Amino acid sequence: MTDPETREQTVLDAVGERRELVNQGIQEEMPIKRPERLWEASRYLLDAGGKRLRPTVLLVVGEALMDVEPLSTDYREFPSLADQPVDLMAAAVSVEVIQTFTLIHDDIMDDDDLRRGVPAVHKEFDLDTAILAGDTLYSSAFEIMLNANAPSSEVVAAMDTLASTCTKICEGQSLDVAFEERADVLPEEYLEMIEQKTAVLYAASAAIAAELLSADDATVDALYGYGLDIGRAFQIQDDVLDLTVPSEQLGKQRGSDLVENKQTLITVHAREQGVDVDNLVDTDSVEDVTEAEIDEAVQALEESGSIAYANDKARELVERGKERLECLPDNEARDLLCDIADYLIERGY
Amino acid sequence: MTDPETREQTVLDAVGERRELVNQGIQEEMPIKRPERLWEASRYLLDAGGKRLRPTVLLVVGEALMDVEPLSTDYREFPSLADQPVDLMAAAVSVEVIQTFTLIHDDIMDDDDLRRGVPAVHKEFDLDTAILAGDTLYSSAFEIMLNANAPSSEVVAAMDTLASTCTKICEGQSLDVAFEERADVLPEEYLEMIEQKTAVLYAASAAIAAELLSADDATVDALYGYGLDIGRAFQIQDDVLDLTVPSEQLGKQRGSDLVENKQTLITVHAREQGVDVDNLVDTDSVEDVTEAEIDEAVQALEESGSIAYANDKARELVERGKERLECLPDNEARDLLCDIADYLIERGY
């Protein structure tokens, strides 16, 4: 068994190597053109960084499926199970562009000031530009996916997955907003919400690679399931990290979910355990909260077993996700997909 | 030659008959489901009315191209030049859904209170819900287009047209917003802006019908051009109507474009003629403006020849648009497309 530190390094190396290529893909697929202000705003958050986890999953699924050595093959001319090479990089850029669109609009709705350590788009530019930049990324993602150059029937399948995923993300975001007003959200409801809001884009990333490469339906479904599982685990881990990682490392105030009364699997569980979650932190503003207040809140959530509960749930999802990869040939890329699953819940930021 | 009143009745009847079918198609393609608030907000403006001009153009192009008698054929099982029937209604609903998405987000950006005689979505609901409802319509439109059931290669072409159209609409909206800060916009720049902001969706409506029905590229291009021409004419006429139609008939304050310093072909021309456009109306608020102020401004724009200039330009575009229809068989549906073109600049509201 690999130890977590070695695994983390393996995953960070794999993600880092592909990040360079994805960043280049973004430049190629989304050049700054007229009207410049719109395209600059659209590129702003894309260029501010981001781990590129979803495009990495998409690209590595392709390598595992086609049984090629990781990074040995041009993603722009990727071999497929049909008779024509596929531009897998276009698809990878497309899912990252969708992810970025959702972040821009979510930041408006959550009135978050910071993202990836820089001002949110509606702060750096303005509300109107942020709405429009998100809308531009949205359609651009579909245009870019159409560049994947797979057989038409596979492109249609990938577009269907992408479009229905976007609708589900909106539904998930809507539930998330509605949950802020409710004190009786159940863990199962919370898990359904993060499935829609977050996990479906991991699912789409894995499934779209398989669709474009002409894999059979069972493989597409299994990979979709892998993405759903690790995507939910990722979100749960994000909720844990919001409480446990220093603000400067997070790129935003630690405990901001608590301050802003956002539901997480942790608070939902704690409330079931009788914890007075709404009064764990007195202030409603991330500017006013103190580290001591956050520390005290975290201690209460540890005592109720809520953080452990979230950790267990994330682990369970990751294990199930890894099992689903048995649909793939046994190779280095598949091992990497397992490592990515483990990393998502072992990562410290 | 048909006189304008007879033509208006012909077009209104044709649009009205198809509106019922399109409304039914909307109900079928976009049922209210969980989370209800999101889907209700997404349906709100769709259900508030609208002439359904774009879907009508799409459906009538299909009838003209396939040389069938208007309204004689089930739009859900429409004959095509390939060997399978096409669900043309799905495509018609899709373009109407895109149109509605753009209205919701535009109303936020323009801070318009009323639309189609009812409160704008961000007023009836709230900003966050309006952003999200627009986003939901956006992806839903792509999902619905995928239901058109045409050969995959034709669906890919239609999706490409739809996605690139959405990107152009965003670019056009961005230019429109930027123009509000400029006093030196040229008529050509204005025409480019409305091409992107408004006309491309008419172009897409006409072209997508042809794409899905497997028409040749020359026909698709000609129909795209027809849409671009009549779409620009439509927008210019909208600008004229904003000055000349009573508020209650418009569903918003007459002269609101002037009050809000929005550029129109009329103001851009007037400025070239030396009219002090920015001071035609003193107030910046549609609540404070008087009908007398608007009357005086309109008189100045008539004296500078700017309203006549806009009317002439719209007429020129309509004539060119009609010429492009020569790619279609000579039949009743093609005549109707000509009538629609004329109607767009003869209509009184």
Side-chain angles (χ1 to χ4, degrees), chain B residues 68-228:
Chain B
V68 300
E69 201 186 318
L71 292 169
S72 68
T73 312
D74 183 355
Y75 291 127
R76 291 285 194 189
E77 298 259 346
F78 207 79
S80 86
L81 296 163
D83 57 358
Q84 67 190 81
V86 166
D87 185 347
L88 215 52
M89 180 55 74
V93 170
S94 175
V95 298
E96 184 70 9
V97 168
I98 286 291
Q99 162 68 3
T100 308
F101 136 67
T102 65
L103 294 179
I104 294 175
H105 282 191
D106 281 5
D107 284 343
I108 298 172
M109 295 180 225
D110 299 341
D111 201 20
D112 280 334
D113 293 349
L114 284 179
R115 172 68 73 174
R116 294 179 174 165
V118 298
V121 176
H122 67 287
K123 296 290 178 184
E124 178 69 19
F125 295 84
D126 54 61
L127 175 69
D128 294 355
T129 306
I131 293 174
L132 207 48
D135 291 346
T136 304
L137 291 173
Y138 210 154
S139 48
S140 296
F142 285 96
E143 288 187 87
I144 294 167
M145 186 64 80
L146 287 164
N147 294 338
N149 206 30
S152 295
S153 57
E154 318 300 9
V155 173
V156 167
M159 292 291 277
D160 203 359
T161 300
L162 193 67
S164 64
T165 294
C166 291
T167 303
K168 286 190 192 111
I169 291 171
C170 292
E171 291 177 330
Q173 170 69 5
S174 173
L175 287 176
D176 194 17
V177 171
F179 283 1
E180 286 179 48
E181 309 291 314
R182 284 180 50 195
D184 60 349
V185 177
L186 300 171
E188 306 82 70
E189 290 182 291
Y190 178 81
L191 288 168
E192 187 202 349
M193 184 276 284
I194 61 171
E195 175 177 323
Q196 297 193 316
K197 180 172 169 169
T198 302
V200 287
L201 195 54
Y202 279 94
S205 300
I208 283 172
E211 287 172 331
L212 291 174
L213 299 173
S214 303
D216 59 53
D217 289 351
T219 304
V220 170
D221 289 349
L223 287 165
Y224 192 87
Y226 162 78
L228 275 192

Side-chain angles (χ1 to χ4, degrees), chain A residues 31 37 46 74 81 110 135 148 190 196 221 257 286 294 310:
Chain A
R37 186 176 160 85
L46 270 171
D74 183 356
L81 295 164
D110 299 340
D135 292 346
Y190 179 80
Q196 296 193 316
D221 290 347
D257 290 345
V286 288
I294 303 286

Side-chain angles (χ1 to χ4, degrees), chain A residues 109-163:
Chain A
M109 296 181 226
D110 299 340
D111 202 18
D112 280 334
D113 293 349
L114 284 178
R115 173 67 72 174
R116 294 179 174 166
V118 298
V121 175
H122 67 287
K123 295 290 176 185
E124 179 68 19
F125 296 83
D126 54 60
L127 174 69
D128 294 355
T129 306
I131 293 174
L132 207 49
D135 292 346
T136 305
L137 291 173
Y138 209 153
S139 48
S140 295
F142 285 95
E143 288 188 86
I144 294 166
M145 186 63 80
L146 287 164
N147 293 339
N149 206 30
S152 294
S153 57
E154 318 299 9
V155 173
V156 167
M159 292 290 276
D160 203 0
T161 299
L162 193 67

